[in-house]
């Protein structure tokens, strides 16, 4: 299925199930992006989802909506099931995330400070940053262009995103997902920076030092006639 097909299915789901569908889907995405959760079994579990919904004051059993997302819309698939836990993964998390974010409709929020923070966040194109970091991390070799772009992103977009987190924490109920996503970007950026450092140190150590004899030999050549 193409990414646009997933987006259309998300739009259809949100249009039909409204705020409940939006909150459940957005919360599942925030769990999938949470670096403090072990995702070896999938993107999110039913237990994590219920606990997260309760923590934001949304007392709702999402079992029916999860079934609908899986069986009717095909946006998620079950990856693990036992007597005490069930996990799912998004079939195309990037497409779902982009569709959900575009449907967040901050224009309905009256507080101009919240809307401004949302504008700043969107202007930095976090999904593009996340995609670049993911793709670059799995490349077998980093090119000078990769390193230059990463350096530019760190000193510009990521620097601004980290500053935005402080503002977002003042309105955490609105920006819980965005905060989680920025943390995930920062985690990927740290991994890439460590890889660049490791490769640099390895390359530096592999260079053969110039011996004193070679230095003297070259110096003597300069005085030869």
């Amino acid at each position: 299925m193409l990414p646009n097909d997933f987006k259309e299915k998300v739009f259809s789901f949100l249009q039909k199930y409204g705020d409940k569908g939006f909150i459940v889907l957005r919360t599942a995405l925030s769990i999938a992006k949470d670096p403090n959760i072990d995702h070896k079994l999938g993107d999110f579990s039913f237990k994590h989802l219920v606990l997260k919904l309760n923590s934001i004051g949304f007392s709702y059993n999402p079992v029916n909506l999860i079934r609908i997302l899986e069986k009717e819309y095909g946006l998620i698939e079950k990856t693990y099931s036992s007597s005490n836990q069930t996990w799912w993964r998004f079939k195309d998390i990037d497409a779902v995330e982009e569709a959900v974010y575009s449907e967040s409709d901050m224009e309905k929020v009256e507080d101009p400070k919240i809307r401004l923070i949302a504008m700043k966040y969107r202007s930095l194109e976090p999904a593009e940053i996340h995609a670049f970091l993911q793709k670059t991390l799995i490349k077998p070799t980093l090119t000078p262009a990769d390193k230059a772009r990463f350096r530019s992103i760190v000193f510009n977009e990521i620097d601004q995103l980290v500053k935005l987190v402080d503002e977002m924490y003042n309105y955490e109920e609105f920006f819980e997902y965005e905060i989680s996503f920025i943390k995930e970007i920062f985690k990927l950026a740290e991994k890439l920076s460590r890889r660049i450092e490791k490769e640099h140190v390895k390359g530096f150590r592999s260079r053969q030092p110039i011996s004193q004899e070679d230095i003297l030999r070259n110096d003597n050549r300069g005085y030869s006639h």
Side-chain angles (χ1 to χ4, degrees):
M1 190 183 298
L2 297 174
N4 285 338
D5 295 330
F6 278 101
K7 292 178 186 177
E8 289 301 321
K9 286 182 176 293
V10 172
F11 295 145
S12 176
F13 171 79
L14 295 177
Q15 185 176 20
K16 185 172 182 179
Y17 295 98
D19 289 342
K20 285 185 178 180
F22 175 76
I23 293 171
V24 168
L25 192 52
R26 184 164 165 143
T27 303
L29 280 169
S30 72
I31 295 169
K33 296 291 185 178
D34 190 340
N36 297 313
I37 294 176
D38 186 353
H39 293 104
K40 66 182 179 182
L41 296 179
D43 287 333
F44 67 95
S45 71
F46 185 77
K47 180 180 179 180
H48 280 105
L49 185 58
V50 171
L51 290 174
K52 193 76 168 178
L53 289 172
N54 287 335
S55 72
I56 62 174
F58 191 68
S59 298
Y60 175 73
N61 187 342
V63 62
N64 288 330
L65 286 181
I66 292 300
R67 179 187 59 79
I68 291 167
L69 284 169
E70 180 185 2
K71 303 296 184 182
E72 296 185 22
Y73 289 88
L75 294 172
I76 61 175
E77 61 183 355
K78 191 177 296 182
T79 54
Y80 180 82
S81 182
S82 68
S83 59
N84 61 354
Q85 61 176 325
T86 306
W87 286 79
W88 292 266
R89 77 167 183 89
F90 288 97
K91 291 185 178 180
D92 189 335
I93 192 169
D94 292 332
V96 173
E97 176 191 28
E98 188 174 338
V100 168
Y101 187 75
S102 67
E103 287 289 292
S104 61
D105 198 5
M106 275 291 177
E107 293 181 2
K108 294 179 181 179
V109 179
E110 294 183 1
D111 191 330
K113 293 180 181 178
I114 295 176
R115 293 171 64 179
L116 177 60
I117 293 172
M119 282 188 279
K120 290 179 180 179
Y121 179 80
R122 286 195 295 266
S123 72
L124 294 169
E125 299 183 306
E128 292 293 326
I129 298 170
H130 189 273
F132 166 76
L133 294 173
Q134 279 190 319
K135 291 176 183 177
T136 306
L137 274 168
I138 63 175
K139 292 178 72 171
T141 305
L142 299 180
T143 66
D146 292 330
K147 296 176 183 178
R149 186 181 176 194
F150 174 65
R151 186 161 52 248
S152 175
I153 288 174
V154 168
F155 279 91
N156 293 286
E157 288 87 348
I158 293 179
D159 183 61
Q160 293 301 314
L161 283 171
V162 172
K163 291 175 182 176
L164 265 182
V165 170
D166 289 335
E167 297 182 57
M168 288 178 172
Y169 272 124
N170 294 323
Y171 308 95
E172 192 169 357
E173 68 274 20
F174 288 97
F175 295 109
E176 183 178 9
Y177 172 69
E178 288 79 3
I179 291 170
S180 175
F181 194 54
I182 291 173
K183 288 180 178 179
E184 176 66 16
I185 287 174
F186 197 82
K187 179 182 177 183
L188 292 175
E190 282 188 308
K191 285 184 179 180
L192 186 53
S193 69
R194 285 195 291 268
R195 177 180 169 183
I196 291 173
E197 180 185 40
K198 184 177 180 180
E199 290 182 0
H200 175 73
V201 171
K202 183 179 179 181
F204 180 79
R205 289 176 177 172
S206 66
R207 298 173 192 155
Q208 293 296 327
I210 301 174
S211 67
Q212 188 173 2
E213 291 181 0
D214 289 334
I215 294 174
L216 292 172
R217 188 180 301 114
N218 290 331
D219 285 345
N220 292 332
R221 286 174 184 171
Y223 290 103
S224 62
H225 296 286

